Amino acid sequence: MRRKVVAGNWKMNNDINATVDLISALKAGLKSSEPKSDVIICPPFTSLETAKELVKNSNIKLGAQNMHFEENGAFTGEISAAMLRSTGCEYVILGHSERRTIFQESDELINKKIKKALSSGLKPIFCIGETLEERESSITFDVITRQIQKGLEGISSLESIIIAYEPVWAIGTGKTASPAQAEEVHSFIRNLLTKMYGEKEAQSVIIQYGGSVKADNASELLNMPNIDGALVGGACLKADSFLAIINY
Ligand code: PEP
């Protein structure tokens, strides 16, 4: 039985004061009972140190939203895996569609980042997903196959990896994939991973859905057999809606 994992991608939101307020409200909401899902929050880099202190002794885990694949050096504006580890991060989102489209990140670059994250003890939340144009051209499965094969090239185990299927047309648009549409792709992904890594690893890997997950659609999505949680953008910025998704 895979446990559900819900992660919040804060994106470029929340200064230090807002970080303190949001994490305090989340902790208060999670205190009363054992949450139904495992919880990860991914604040911006500037909030990680504050978040690290606030999530101590709670069941909230910490992740970052990006990192560079080099160890250190002349890479102005970049953050390394070791820096993330030193701020208490256990996870890092890699390959988010906003990184792929706005910052031109390629499958090859994402592969380098995943390898560096793993060798540094970070668990990647590896995002994949098709654009609207690709879906309408009926190449969703080809795109997913390419992103997975190239993104995971040379990686021998899925043990420390979370996959997040995020159809680009559903991110921040209010349009959600229907549970059946999402399940179809999740099941395709698990079959592909079975061919690449064998039954045992593919059955254990967490495959999150992301794309306009809200309190009122979380339960129908998370109850699908191959949807093991959610990567949440907009709805993770308010404690009430994020808590409702966690306890879907
Ligand atoms: C995301 O950015 O990963 C995301 C899923 O955003 P939203 O929930 O706002 O669609």
Side-chain angles (χ1 to χ4, degrees):
M1 215 16 212
R2 293 179 296 269
R3 207 173 138 70
K4 305 284 183 196
V5 181
V6 172
N9 174 11
W10 290 16
K11 309 194 185 187
M12 198 171 71
N13 293 295
N14 293 338
D15 61 11
I16 297 296
N17 289 336
T19 297
V20 173
D21 289 350
L22 180 50
I23 297 179
S24 305
L26 282 176
K27 276 172 39 179
L30 290 170
K31 220 183 216 164
S32 48
S33 61
E34 179 64 20
K36 203 165 168 183
S37 316
D38 290 348
V39 184
I40 305 167
I41 55 167
C42 303
F45 295 136
T46 46
S47 289
L48 287 173
E49 188 62 28
T50 302
K52 174 187 175 184
E53 294 306 316
L54 288 167
V55 302
K56 265 185 197 157
N57 304 319
S58 80
N59 35 27
I60 304 173
K61 300 205 169 113
L62 200 56
Q65 299 172 22
N66 184 30
M67 53 161 256
H68 197 269
F69 63 86
E70 290 286 359
E71 186 69 28
N72 54 19
F75 301 101
T76 302
E78 293 292 330
I79 301 279
S80 75
M83 290 167 186
L84 296 182
R85 293 275 290 152
S86 75
T87 58
C89 284
E90 205 178 312
Y91 295 87
V92 58
I93 298 173
L94 295 174
H96 191 278
S97 71
E98 285 152 19
R99 300 293 321 171
R100 290 179 189 262
T101 55
I102 307 171
F103 302 100
Q104 285 86 43
E105 292 199 2
S106 64
D107 292 319
E108 290 73 18
L109 178 72
I110 294 159
N111 176 252
K112 285 186 186 172
K113 292 185 177 195
I114 295 178
K115 284 179 173 156
K116 184 65 187 175
L118 290 171
S119 67
S120 308
L122 285 168
K123 298 175 187 157
I125 301 176
F126 170 36
C127 302
I128 52 173
E130 81 288 1
T131 62
L132 184 58
E133 204 186 346
E134 289 163 340
R135 176 161 281 263
E136 287 175 345
S137 313
S138 304
I139 56 167
T140 296
F141 294 144
D142 300 330
V143 172
I144 297 293
T145 302
R146 190 206 73 226
Q147 290 175 335
I148 290 198
Q149 288 180 340
K150 294 201 165 182
L152 296 180
E153 201 172 298
I155 289 161
S156 58
S157 168
L158 296 172
E159 207 180 315
S160 299
I161 299 179
I162 291 178
I163 309 273
Y165 168 58
E166 300 205 300
V168 180
W169 48 272
I171 297 180
T173 57
K175 270 193 215 164
T176 321
S178 69
Q181 270 176 328
E183 173 61 22
E184 183 188 28
V185 182
H186 280 239
S187 136
F188 175 84
I189 294 168
R190 206 175 300 283
N191 284 334
L192 177 62
L193 294 174
T194 304
K195 286 182 208 137
M196 294 168 68
Y197 291 94
E199 183 79 14
K200 192 164 169 272
E201 291 228 12
Q203 283 303 322
S204 310
V205 71
I206 298 296
I207 309 177
Q208 295 175 322
Y209 168 79
S212 298
V213 177
K214 307 260 180 291
D216 59 6
N217 60 21
S219 122
E220 53 175 13
L221 286 159
L222 271 63
N223 278 315
M224 299 307 279
N226 283 291
I227 300 184
D228 309 318
L231 180 54
V232 184
C236 79
L237 296 174
K238 294 265 179 300
D240 284 357
S241 52
F242 194 48
L243 288 164
I245 296 169
I246 291 163
N247 290 315
Y248 65 102

